[in-house]
């Protein structure tokens, strides 16, 4: 067997066919299922490979229950096989999973990866079962080199066709996916206070190899009332409604260009109407096809804004026409040792370079050593572009009820955490009581 194999498969048909070739010298089949041998007894623990699964969207109990013929360990340093799973949403609402099998110890040097699509109509139970089937097939090149090989049998599925049907049938919706949400309504009442919040909106998305489009109107409404003895109640009404839209065109494996538009009205920020039109361009150092594992991108946008305010601003404006531009850089890395996500964004208005803002954000999660992980996240924004701030002083009620935006020069938040796991090396037992 080759010591290194790297392949990318975009659908389950290519996946099955490729694995049939991969396992040709071992077992001539496309789909295999594990089942117990007829003879009694168990394989010695030394003959069972240790398995570590690194996944944010997996049901570990279900995996351990349905795939019991490997040893599950709690740290990648203890594993013979490290399975790293990442995923991203597809244009039609489904998910594309990428499986990376990394050989360690006795399997050192055997590494390969592939992708698998799961339909957006699949239930969670169907998704779990499908992920288990893919994991089993992906682990076979490792397992077949152990004493467990004698416990596998071949189950060949034949549909009477030598070639699969067309992978892309005619789509009557032309790749458009629609979503309506109008049920996010909450009401909380106490003897002295009432809170009401409602949110609604609509998504229309289209994602193809060449285009990514969105049209999204939305509406949010919040009402708060505080009743006081022998005094008038204090009420707060905040609305935020608007529209986000964009059309992004792929230009090769590293470039893309887009046009972004938005409309917003929100009284808590003194914005009666605000319309923005911003063209932009993006460059990705790594090809987009590997973006689920690592990405470094740069985005530049420039455009026009029209703003109409409820009240005169501190700059003595009731409406204005603005030109601005923005440059941002971001990095994302998902690896077995941990993950890094972060970026830097800077922007300013062209009529006054002092009206600017800059933001840094980042999150790092690192496995320091066996069982020990360090997590750190932070964001810092320098704010000098609050053009919509109304003139005059804010009342105490407006401040407490967040009905009025306050002037600030920065916004800082962060967190740090350390976690350590120790004890038994193995994690084979499934117990879901309570």
């Amino acid at each position: 067997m080759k010591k290194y194999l790297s392949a990318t498969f975009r659908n389950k048909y290519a996946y099955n066919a490729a694995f049939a070739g991969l396992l040709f010298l071992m077992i001539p089949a496309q789909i295999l299922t594990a089942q117990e041998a007829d003879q009694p007894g168990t394989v010695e623990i030394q003959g069972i490979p240790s398995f570590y699964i690194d996944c944010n969207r997996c049901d570990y109990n279900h995996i351990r229950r349905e795939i019991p013929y490997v040893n599950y360990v709690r740290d990648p340093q203890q594993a013979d096989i490290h399975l790293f799973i990442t995923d991203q949403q597809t244009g039609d609402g489904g998910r594309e999973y990428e499986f990376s099998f990394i050989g360690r110890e006795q399997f050192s040097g055997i590494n390969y990866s592939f992708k698998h699509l799961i339909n957006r109509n699949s239930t969670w139970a169907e998704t779990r079962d499908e992920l288990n089937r893919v994991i089993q097939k992906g682990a076979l090149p490792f397992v077949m080199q152990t004493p467990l090989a004698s416990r596998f049998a071949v189950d060949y599925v034949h549909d009477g066709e030598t070639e699969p049907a067309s992978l892309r049938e005619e789509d009557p919706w032309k790749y458009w996916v629609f979503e309506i949400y109008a049920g996010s309504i909450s009401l909380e009442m106490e003897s002295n206070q009432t809170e009401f919040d409602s949110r609604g909106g609509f998504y229309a998305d289209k994602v193809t190899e060449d285009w990514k489009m969105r049209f999204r109107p939305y509406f949010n409404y919040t009402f708060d009332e505080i009743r006081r003895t022998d005094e008038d109640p204090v009420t707060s009404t905040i609305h935020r409604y608007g529209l986000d839209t964009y059309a992004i065109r792929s230009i090769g494996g590293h470039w893309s260009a887009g046009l972004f538009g938005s409309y917003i009205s929100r009284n808590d920020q003194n914005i009666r109407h605000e319309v923005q039109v911003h063209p932009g361009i993006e460059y990705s150092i790594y090809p987009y096809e590997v973006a689920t594992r690592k990405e470094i991108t740069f985005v530049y946008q420039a455009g026009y804004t029209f703003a109409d305010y409820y009240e005169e601003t501190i700059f003595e404006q009731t409406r204005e026409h603005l030109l601005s531009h923005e440059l941002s850089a971001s990095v994302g890395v998902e690896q077995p040792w941990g993950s890094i996500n972060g970026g830097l964004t800077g922007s300013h208005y062209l009529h006054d370079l002092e009206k600017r803002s800059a933001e840094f954000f980042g999150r790092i999660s690192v496995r320091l050593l066996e069982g020990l992980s360090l997590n750190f996240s932070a964001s810092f924004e320098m704010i000098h572009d609050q053009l919509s701030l109304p003139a005059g002083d804010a009342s105490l009620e407006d401040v407490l009820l967040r009905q009025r935006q306050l002037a600030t020069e920065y916004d800082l938040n962060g967190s740090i955490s350390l976690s350590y796991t120790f004890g038994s090396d193995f994690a084979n037992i499934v117990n879901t009581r309570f």
Side-chain angles (χ1 to χ4, degrees):
M1 184 175 183
K2 293 182 179 180
K3 287 296 182 181
Y4 180 80
L5 175 64
S6 178
T8 299
F9 308 113
R10 292 193 174 276
N11 55 68
K12 63 181 179 181
Y13 303 105
Y15 164 72
N16 288 337
F19 260 100
L22 175 67
L23 303 177
F24 180 79
L25 297 179
M26 295 183 292
I27 41 177
Q30 288 180 319
I31 299 178
L32 299 99
T33 57
Q35 53 187 5
E36 293 294 333
D38 293 331
Q39 64 272 25
T42 59
V43 177
E44 293 296 327
I45 192 71
Q46 291 80 4
I48 298 178
S50 297
F51 207 43
Y52 179 80
I53 299 179
D54 205 340
C55 178
N56 291 326
R57 200 183 296 270
C58 292
D59 186 336
Y60 289 99
N61 286 334
H62 189 65
I63 293 173
R64 293 196 296 263
R65 184 185 298 112
E66 299 298 320
I67 310 177
Y69 48 83
V70 295
N71 258 334
Y72 295 95
V73 293
R74 59 177 177 80
D75 191 272
Q77 299 300 321
Q78 304 161 337
D80 298 312
I81 308 166
H82 184 166
L83 173 56
F84 186 61
I85 304 176
T86 58
D87 66 278
Q88 62 180 346
Q89 186 169 332
T90 60
D92 62 356
R95 302 206 74 83
E96 180 184 70
Y97 289 82
E98 181 173 357
F99 299 78
S100 297
F101 286 83
I102 303 169
R104 302 176 56 86
E105 301 298 334
Q106 59 180 317
F107 302 119
S108 179
I110 304 177
N111 308 283
Y112 55 88
S113 63
F114 55 86
K115 295 181 180 181
H116 186 80
L117 294 176
I118 294 185
N119 190 284
R120 66 187 175 93
N121 295 320
S122 298
T123 65
W124 174 230
E126 292 171 335
T127 298
R128 294 189 312 170
D129 291 340
E130 183 67 11
L131 291 177
N132 280 2
R133 285 190 288 269
V134 176
I135 291 172
Q136 290 190 75
K137 287 187 281 189
L140 276 173
F142 299 99
V143 175
M144 294 304 292
Q145 299 181 66
T146 72
L148 289 174
S150 63
R151 293 182 171 242
F152 281 79
V154 177
D155 182 12
Y156 175 72
V157 178
H158 181 61
D159 58 6
E161 298 181 2
T162 56
E163 296 291 340
S166 173
L167 299 181
R168 292 192 177 183
E169 300 177 358
E170 184 65 23
D171 182 3
W173 294 97
K174 303 300 181 182
Y175 298 101
W176 282 100
V177 178
F178 304 93
E179 178 184 351
I180 300 174
Y181 63 98
S184 181
I185 298 176
S186 64
L187 175 65
E188 182 177 348
M189 299 184 67
E190 300 177 2
S191 59
N192 296 317
Q193 184 173 352
T194 299
E195 296 182 10
F196 175 80
D197 183 74
S198 64
R199 301 171 185 270
F202 175 80
Y203 283 94
D205 291 312
K206 178 177 182 177
V207 178
T208 67
E209 292 290 337
D210 297 324
W211 285 97
K212 183 176 181 179
M213 301 181 182
R214 166 167 290 183
F215 181 82
R216 182 209 171 198
Y218 58 89
F219 177 82
N220 299 339
Y221 175 82
T222 302
F223 173 80
D224 290 312
E225 182 181 66
I226 300 175
R227 291 175 288 276
R228 300 178 294 180
T229 305
D230 299 329
E231 294 187 59
D232 293 334
V234 177
T235 62
S236 169
T237 301
I238 299 175
H239 76 258
R240 180 171 67 89
Y241 58 84
L243 169 69
D244 289 329
T245 184
Y246 57 71
I248 302 172
R249 180 71 163 86
S250 300
I251 308 174
H254 296 268
W255 290 92
S256 62
L259 180 64
F260 302 81
S262 67
Y263 165 77
I264 190 171
S265 175
R266 54 184 305 171
N267 60 339
D268 62 327
Q269 293 190 2
N270 193 33
I271 298 174
R272 188 193 305 273
H273 306 291
E274 182 180 273
V275 179
Q276 293 185 341
V277 180
H278 286 187
I281 191 167
E282 179 184 74
Y283 175 73
S284 174
I285 291 181
Y286 295 103
Y288 288 113
E289 60 198 33
V290 300
T292 60
R293 293 288 300 272
K294 54 185 177 181
E295 63 175 348
I296 301 177
T297 58
F298 300 90
V299 177
Y300 175 76
Q301 290 181 278
Y304 163 80
T305 300
F306 167 73
D308 179 23
Y309 306 116
Y310 282 102
E311 303 176 30
E312 184 177 87
T313 69
I314 58 175
F315 302 103
E316 300 180 343
Q317 299 290 329
T318 56
R319 63 174 54 190
E320 52 189 333
H321 303 269
L322 304 165
L323 295 177
S324 63
H325 64 169
E326 176 182 289
L327 179 65
S328 63
S330 62
V331 58
V333 178
E334 295 285 346
Q335 294 294 327
W337 50 262
S339 63
I340 298 175
N341 300 97
L344 177 66
T345 300
S347 65
H348 66 75
Y349 290 100
L350 297 182
H351 74 283
D352 184 352
L353 300 186
E354 294 298 320
K355 303 299 185 292
R356 65 188 186 275
S357 68
E359 180 183 12
F360 167 80
F361 58 92
R363 182 182 186 279
I364 301 176
S365 178
V366 181
R367 290 191 180 94
L368 301 178
L369 47 87
E370 181 178 315
L372 183 64
S373 296
L374 176 66
N375 307 296
F376 175 79
S377 65
S379 69
F380 175 71
E381 185 177 6
M382 295 181 293
I383 304 171
H384 300 283
D385 59 354
Q386 293 177 288
L387 300 186
S388 64
L389 284 174
D393 297 328
S395 67
L396 179 60
E397 290 83 357
D398 288 340
V399 173
L400 294 178
L401 294 174
R402 298 182 180 272
Q403 195 168 2
R404 183 169 175 145
Q405 186 182 23
L406 300 179
T408 183
E409 294 186 354
Y410 67 90
D411 181 21
L412 171 66
N413 62 75
S415 66
I416 185 170
S417 63
L418 192 67
S419 62
Y420 180 63
T421 304
F422 59 94
S424 173
D425 290 344
F426 301 104
N428 297 320
I429 307 302
V430 178
N431 188 332
T432 59
R433 295 171 179 82
F434 282 82

